Each structure stands twice: as C-alpha cells, then as structure tokens.
Amino acid sequence: MSEIKVNSIKGVGSTDAAITINNSDGTCTANLTNRTNKNLVVNGGMIIAQRRLSQTSSTNGYRCVDRFRHTSSGLDDAPTHEQVDIAAGTTPYTLGFRKSYKLTNGNQSSGAGADDRMQTQYSIESQDIANSGWNYTSSASFITLSFWVKSSVAQNFFGFLQTDDGTSQSFPFQTGSLSADTWTKVVVKIPGNSNLQFDNNNEMGMKILWDLFEGTNKTDSSATLNQWGAFVSTAKTPDQTSTWYTTNDATFELTGVQLEVGSVATDFEHR
C-alpha cells in the first residue's frame, strides 16, 4: 500500500497551510471556509438596526446598528450614524453583503485637538472568548479579525483590541492605505499571549475599536503594531493622521466584521 507523508498541505502562493498534520498521532487541523457558528461577532454584516436607521449624535452609546457603539470626545459637530445599502455590483455586494454602518463626520472646525477622539467599538463577553477554542495564552494559537471598510478620504486608519480581565492588554492594528471611496478587505492575524486573561462570565472580555481619529494625547509614535502589550491610555496606537477627521462630512463605512479562531480569514458567515 502506498503512503504519502507530509507535515502540511499548502496552496500555491499561500502563506498558511490548508491542512496541518500532527506527526505524533496522525491527526490534522484544517482551515475550512464553510465552518458554521465560527464568528464571535454578532451582526457583523450590519443587517440589524432595531433602535433606529440613522441618528446625528456625538453622545457615547449605540446610535444605530445593533452591537456597534460610538465613542467620542472633544467634537465640535456631531457625526451622523446610518445603516445604509451597499451599492449593487460592488464588492462586497457580490459576496452577499447588503448593509453597512456609515459614519459621516460633521465639521470639526477647531481642527484636530490633542484630546479629540472618534471611534466605533464592538464588545465581546469574556465567556465567549474563554469558550471559543482559542488557546489565548499561547503565541502559537491565533484568532483572525477581518472586515470590509470604505472611506471617502484616502488614508490609513488605526484600531486596536483591548482586553478587560486581569491586567488590560492591547493589540494595535492598521487598515493600510485606503483608496478613496473604495471597499477594501482588511485581515488582522492575532496570536495568543501569556498575559491574556478571560474569565468565564458575561462581563466585558475584549473590545474591538476602529479609530476614525485619536489626538496625540492618546497616541504615541512608539506604539508597536500587531503585538500585544499592556494597555496604555496615552499610547493606544501610533500617531494618527487627521485628514479624515478635519474633512467636512467625510464618510467611513464598515461591514463584514468577523472574529474567528484560526490563523486565516475564512468566508464571512452570513446568518
């Protein structure tokens, strides 16, 4: 009988293996695109907006689509939050997405203040992480964040994950340079870390935050991207450009948010 012995099976041009073989017991781990109940984010497709379809407000809270929260400070003019349609024929429309969360900046006439802030935030219960199957204290175990984003202003945006249990930890990331008015898929691969703690309860476990802008009192050029570290409120991300924030009525859209166990971004789970 013929045998093929391999450590992994990987697609041509792929960085990550589709199938990884355990050489000790012969079991394997597969990165599948058709797994169900994999997304730790609820309403990542922005299809549910039970409170309202739109609102102009700078007050912290759930302004529009369910589960996605607005936080800000130091604004001169309130932004507008909307659940909007994604244009037919575009990607991600062709992938089954129909709605997005759209934020329209007001007129920040006094410019970008050092304490100014505008964010979109999603919170995950600690028990959902603890029971997800992610070995979060191991740097060899991963979760992957993916999302679609569009900005009316061409620039790079930052964001970060922040944990709540134990000593708060932070993982800064970036979107990369976005072309104006063009949908882009962003993928962030996140390793575990020995300092992470998630209690098995329904309290806050981890937040995902997208920064539209944070002033220099909240950022620092020494902040390291794609690496866990103790959360520092004055160094959440590297220093941020203020172009979007100081452009009147600039827009930012978000959809297809998925957080899943594993080192690759699989197809979005529509449900």
Side-chain angles (χ1 to χ4, degrees):
M1 183 176 69
S2 298
E3 263 186 358
I4 298 176
K5 294 186 177 181
V6 296
N7 294 318
S8 64
I9 298 175
K10 186 183 297 185
V12 176
S14 174
T15 301
D16 297 298
I19 300 176
T20 303
I21 312 298
N22 185 319
N23 291 325
S24 299
D25 60 16
T27 60
C28 69
T29 301
N31 290 320
L32 304 175
T33 61
N34 59 350
R35 291 182 288 118
T36 58
N37 298 321
K38 62 188 177 183
N39 193 357
L40 298 175
V41 172
V42 178
N43 199 33
M46 312 297 175
I47 61 175
I48 303 170
Q50 298 179 96
R51 291 174 178 83
R52 60 192 69 86
L53 297 180
S54 67
Q55 185 182 50
T56 298
S57 174
S58 58
T59 304
N60 293 347
Y62 297 93
R63 306 268 63 86
C64 184
V65 295
D66 287 28
R67 302 282 184 139
F68 287 82
R69 188 174 188 268
H70 171 78
T71 56
S72 63
S73 61
L75 305 189
D76 300 311
D77 194 19
T80 298
H81 314 260
E82 300 174 273
Q83 182 201 54
V84 298
D85 294 330
I86 295 173
T90 63
T91 304
Y93 183 95
T94 55
L95 300 176
F97 296 96
R98 297 295 181 266
K99 299 290 184 182
S100 69
Y101 175 30
K102 181 178 181 180
L103 189 68
T104 301
N105 188 16
N107 179 2
Q108 309 310 326
S109 56
S110 65
D115 282 315
D116 289 2
R117 174 178 59 129
M118 191 185 299
Q119 295 173 319
T120 295
Q121 171 187 315
Y122 183 91
S123 301
I124 305 172
E125 290 183 6
S126 190
Q127 63 189 357
D128 291 342
I129 302 292
N131 294 288
S132 67
W134 179 32
N135 186 11
Y136 50 82
T137 60
S138 169
S139 61
S141 183
F142 295 85
I143 54 172
T144 299
L145 172 67
S146 57
F147 55 90
W148 286 88
V149 64
K150 183 174 74 168
S151 167
S152 63
V153 173
Q155 71 166 65
N156 179 38
F157 292 88
F158 291 105
F160 59 97
L161 283 72
Q162 181 186 347
T163 67
D164 193 67
D165 294 326
T167 300
S168 181
Q169 302 291 308
S170 178
F171 187 94
F173 63 86
Q174 62 183 348
T175 63
S177 297
L178 303 180
S179 299
D181 297 313
T182 303
W183 281 107
T184 301
K185 185 176 183 179
V186 178
V187 176
V188 184
K189 183 178 173 180
I190 304 155
N193 184 276
S194 59
N195 293 319
L196 297 182
Q197 178 180 330
F198 296 101
D199 299 336
N200 193 22
N201 58 36
N202 63 359
E203 301 298 323
M204 171 78 74
M206 185 165 68
K207 296 182 288 190
I208 308 169
L209 300 106
W210 291 265
D211 277 340
L212 288 307
F213 178 72
E214 290 228 43
T216 53
N217 284 350
K218 308 294 183 182
T219 65
D220 193 286
S221 59
S222 65
T224 303
L225 292 172
N226 302 314
Q227 179 177 301
W228 287 106
F231 174 74
V232 179
S233 63
T234 56
K236 298 176 184 177
T237 74
D239 292 334
Q240 301 182 14
T241 181
S242 60
T243 308
W244 185 94
Y245 185 69
T246 56
T247 298
N248 290 353
D249 297 325
T251 62
F252 183 91
E253 292 185 58
L254 183 67
T255 195
V257 180
Q258 183 157 279
L259 183 68
E260 58 189 306
V261 176
S263 60
V264 296
T266 64
D267 294 345
F268 183 80
E269 183 178 13
H270 292 279
R271 57 174 178 168

